[in-house]
Amino acid sequence: MTPSPEEPRARAAELRAVLRDAIRSRDRALAARARRELRTIEAARAAATGGATGARGERGGIDRTTADRPLPPARDRVRRALVLLGAPAAPKLLSTVHEAFFGEPLIPSRIASLRRDEERSFAAKGPARAPYVCAALTHDRFAPVRGLLALSDRPLEYRVIGPLGPRVDHLTHIRNLAVRVREIRAAGDAESPAAAGLLRRFALTVPGSHRIGDGPAPDPDLDLLIRAVEAEALVHRDADDRHRRAAAARARAQLPFERQLFGATPLQVIRPVTDLT
């Protein structure tokens, strides 16, 4: 007999109640089992509706399928993913994070041309449409970092990428995603399978984020992961802050505001006058 569509929904409601109780009682094993079954049910329901994924609200709950409403502009989806990550990010990561946490597709190839579109819009309209999706900048020449996007309403120090910047920003990404997943679980919901898988892969890049004997690819303990991320970030913070502050001060002194957002233009080689005769 084919199960009624109400049965998975009712089971999901039961599991959320179990999950809330497990979180309150700090029963991690029970909470992990409930989350796994919830993710299985959600994946099965998505497959049964033709592969449509639910659009996840701010706290991660399923609101409605993407087929029910038009997608927001790519610009807004990129901004939403950047706010969640909390640091500059590449198109592929923005696409993965947005679909995992908000349930809406974001094609990386559409993101690639966005910065140029935003630069043209800024030239035409100025800061009226802020925040813009702009460029992360190299700390030495203030050139746009290839394939790395940021938000214009964040301080310049946030957008300058120094020697330690890639690692520090990666740690920021992990911490913010772990905090979001913790909020989703605290609300009695389960993160999407894609979100769980992304956080699992990220956790493997952070020393001290797992206990001995956790296995080769376990679901991370979020509190342990966040503490490990913050501990490593603390090691780099002073040096990274110095690099960023010094570079940002030079950029403010040397560049007009537009170039602080979208990067310095490449230097052009001028031929000597004698070559022109």
Side-chain angles (χ1 to χ4, degrees):
M1 179 182 296
T2 302
S4 164
E6 295 299 322
E7 292 179 13
R9 191 175 296 115
R11 178 57 180 160
E14 291 176 6
L15 287 168
R16 289 189 181 97
V18 170
L19 181 56
R20 283 192 293 270
D21 291 342
I23 291 171
R24 281 195 292 267
S25 63
R26 299 181 180 275
D27 187 337
R28 291 176 177 170
L30 178 59
R33 289 196 298 272
R35 289 188 195 102
R36 282 195 294 270
E37 189 173 347
L38 266 172
R39 290 198 291 265
T40 300
I41 290 173
E42 287 184 1
R45 289 172 64 186
T49 56
T53 55
R56 307 190 77 84
E58 287 302 308
R59 303 192 69 174
I62 299 296
D63 294 332
R64 55 199 300 189
T65 64
T66 55
D68 290 338
R69 59 185 174 84
L71 291 173
R75 176 180 189 261
D76 293 345
R77 282 174 279 161
V78 169
R79 285 168 52 185
R80 185 159 56 173
L82 281 169
V83 169
L84 175 55
L85 286 166
K92 184 175 181 181
L93 177 59
L94 292 169
S95 173
T96 301
V97 165
H98 196 276
E99 187 154 7
F101 283 85
F102 299 106
E104 295 169 343
L106 182 57
I107 301 171
S109 61
R110 294 287 300 275
I111 305 173
S113 62
L114 181 61
R115 187 186 63 80
R116 293 189 296 274
D117 295 340
E118 293 283 88
E119 186 172 356
R120 287 192 290 268
S121 177
F122 184 90
K125 300 179 181 179
R129 294 183 69 219
Y132 285 88
V133 176
C134 61
L137 308 181
T138 61
H139 72 285
D140 49 359
R141 298 181 182 275
F142 311 126
V145 180
R146 184 175 178 85
L148 205 58
L149 300 177
L151 289 173
S152 67
D153 62 345
R154 299 299 299 272
L156 185 56
E157 289 81 357
Y158 151 93
R159 294 186 283 107
V160 173
I161 308 299
L164 295 170
R167 182 59 183 175
V168 171
D169 287 348
H170 179 63
L171 294 171
T172 301
H173 296 160
I174 298 173
R175 185 189 183 282
N176 283 9
L177 295 183
V179 168
R180 174 56 64 89
V181 169
R182 186 168 64 181
E183 291 171 350
I184 292 170
R185 294 178 182 180
D189 293 324
E191 71 276 13
S192 71
L198 178 63
L199 195 59
R200 190 181 305 118
R201 293 195 300 274
F202 273 1
L204 293 173
T205 69
V206 182
S209 62
H210 294 87
R211 295 181 177 86
I212 296 175
D214 277 350
D219 285 328
D221 179 293
L222 295 181
D223 292 333
L224 184 63
L225 173 59
I226 291 169
R227 287 197 299 271
V229 166
E230 291 176 343
E232 183 181 344
L234 187 62
V235 173
H236 304 309
R237 184 170 298 153
D238 288 346
D240 185 55
D241 284 349
R242 285 196 301 272
H243 281 128
R244 291 181 188 258
R245 286 196 299 268
R250 288 188 292 106
R252 290 189 179 100
Q254 297 174 18
L255 300 178
F257 182 65
E258 181 179 358
R259 292 302 102 204
Q260 293 175 33
L261 296 182
F262 298 104
T265 54
L267 295 176
Q268 295 180 340
V269 177
I270 301 176
R271 294 170 59 190
V273 175
T274 54
D275 290 347
L276 302 177
T277 59

